[in-house]
Amino acid sequence: MTSKPVTSVDVARLAGVSQSAVSRFFTPGASVSAKMADKIRVAAEELGYRPNVLARAMITGRSRIIGLVVYHFENQFYPEAVEKLSVALQENGYHVLLFMATPTVGDVEPVLQEILDYQVDGIIMVSVSVSSTLSDRCRALGIPVLLFNRDQPGDGLRAVTSDNYEGGCMAARLLLQGAPRRIAHLAGFAGASTQIDRERGFLDTLHRAGMDLYARAEGNFHYADAVEAARALFEMAEPPDALFVSDDHMAMAAMDVIRFEFRLGIPENVAVVGFDDLPQAAWPAYALSTIRQPINQMVSAAVSELIAAIEGAPEVRKIRIAPTTIVRGTTR
């Protein structure tokens, strides 16, 4: 014989409080007095009561679920970002559902449909693009979408990024301090706003200094592709003596190629600057000079913006947070 499920009414009766007080206690963002909270907590533990989140969502129309869409975890920037976003959202009473997507706009549609089936309150796209049709659909359903570490100008979507243009300028200035003669760029995915802005800032700063880019190759933000791109750059008759790589993940691939395949010294023969400041960038094996993305500030801004949107704030903002130059052992 199955036992009757414990309800909030049972908890209220044992605690000697109203059922609405029990409901408030288990509702993120609501509050009850400390004395009442203690009574409800003790009664709930004694009865083994757990609130039915899905049932509450049906009643309130709010699931308190955020869909988090990520492209891949090969680059260690993304596990760190997902962890920090998840913790920050949970601290604000939201649950996180993680979905994987490919980087192209078209392939995100089935994933987004699956997210909408869960009746999420909001969506964060981590370095993933979304078509204007899909963004319009989310807007029509009243589901705010926020882009993290990616932007789509003119689409009306909230976005939080570092100031990637200024970061590209900073990378150029750091390399120029070593008086290089042949500056190369190992680029990421050509369609990414991060790549476009970083490269534009980098090239503009070189041109202002009276220099042109010596060589360029694309690594698509993947380690294996970056290895091939680095080989192409350093097989040249006169290889680069300075290299800006659009993220640390690819920069480490390039450094492995430069050191172990071409037997060149870093920074003696070639200076290298990355972007992100992954934890691994500080490891002695790499000691990578890089442009640090302020991930904690980006996460805080993203969570604040999304929650404000969920709660009805109409303003759509695109937030850019200033990066920082980190000088280690790969620059002269």
Side-chain angles (χ1 to χ4, degrees):
M1 182 176 178
T2 58
S3 59
K4 183 180 177 182
V6 179
T7 68
S8 60
V9 174
D10 299 323
V11 176
R13 186 180 298 116
L14 181 60
V17 301
S18 67
Q19 191 272 338
S20 62
V22 175
S23 179
R24 289 198 306 277
F25 176 78
F26 285 104
T27 299
S31 63
V32 296
S33 69
K35 184 177 179 181
M36 188 176 291
D38 287 339
K39 289 182 178 180
I40 295 170
R41 188 180 299 106
V42 169
E45 289 176 357
E46 182 177 332
L47 295 172
Y49 172 75
R50 294 294 300 165
N52 188 326
V53 175
L54 295 178
R56 181 183 294 122
M58 293 178 66
I59 295 169
T60 63
R62 294 275 295 274
S63 66
R64 299 200 72 86
I65 295 174
I66 303 299
L68 199 58
V69 186
V70 184
Y71 162 36
H72 69 164
F73 285 121
E74 177 185 306
N75 183 341
Q76 288 302 303
F77 176 82
Y78 298 110
E80 184 178 10
V82 167
E83 177 185 357
K84 290 179 181 294
L85 284 166
S86 299
V87 169
L89 287 165
Q90 288 167 10
E91 288 175 347
N92 283 274
Y94 286 87
H95 312 282
V96 175
L97 281 180
L98 182 64
F99 298 85
M100 301 302 295
T102 51
T104 56
V105 170
D107 291 333
V108 81
E109 185 162 0
V111 175
L112 197 56
Q113 179 56 58
E114 187 178 352
I115 295 172
L116 296 177
D117 290 343
Y118 281 91
Q119 299 184 347
V120 298
D121 287 346
I123 299 171
I124 298 179
M125 315 287 282
V126 181
S127 292
V128 177
S129 301
V130 59
S131 70
S132 58
T133 301
L134 291 174
S135 64
D136 288 344
R137 185 176 171 199
C138 290
R139 194 175 295 113
L141 292 170
I143 300 172
V145 177
L146 183 139
L147 304 178
F148 183 86
N149 197 41
R150 186 64 58 88
D151 193 9
Q152 295 174 200
D155 59 11
L157 291 176
R158 294 166 176 84
V160 174
T161 66
S162 62
D163 187 337
N164 287 293
Y165 177 86
E166 177 57 26
C169 296
M170 294 161 72
R173 289 194 288 267
L174 183 55
L175 285 176
L176 287 169
Q177 288 176 12
R181 293 173 298 163
R182 298 180 300 278
I183 302 178
H185 178 42
L186 202 168
F189 173 56
S193 66
T194 48
Q195 169 58 42
I196 294 168
D197 292 343
R198 291 170 192 177
E199 184 170 11
R200 186 165 55 88
F202 184 71
L203 294 179
D204 284 353
T205 302
L206 290 188
H207 294 156
R208 284 193 291 268
M211 294 196 69
D212 293 321
L213 191 68
Y214 176 69
R216 182 186 188 278
E218 291 186 4
N220 299 311
F221 295 128
H222 283 288
Y223 186 94
D225 290 352
V227 165
E228 293 300 321
R231 284 185 185 132
L233 290 172
F234 286 89
E235 283 173 346
M236 300 175 69
E238 284 193 280
D241 60 0
L243 178 66
F244 170 47
V245 190
S246 282
D247 72 7
D248 289 353
H249 184 64
M250 295 193 302
M252 292 172 188
M255 289 176 67
D256 289 342
V257 170
I258 292 166
R259 285 172 168 165
F260 300 111
E261 294 188 24
F262 291 88
R263 303 296 177 180
L264 296 174
I266 301 173
E268 298 82 12
N269 303 118
V270 53
V272 179
V273 172
F275 205 110
D276 280 340
D277 195 26
L278 300 181
Q280 293 84 350
W283 291 0
Y286 292 104
L288 176 63
S289 294
T290 187
I291 307 302
R292 174 183 290 166
Q293 291 213 81
I295 189 168
N296 289 331
Q297 294 177 55
M298 291 168 65
V299 165
S300 179
V303 171
S304 295
E305 285 295 300
L306 187 67
I307 291 175
I310 291 170
E311 294 176 350
E315 185 180 8
V316 174
R317 299 199 300 168
K318 294 184 180 292
I319 297 174
R320 293 175 177 83
I321 302 174
T324 306
T325 300
I326 303 298
V327 180
R328 295 194 180 99
T330 60
T331 46
R332 295 185 287 271

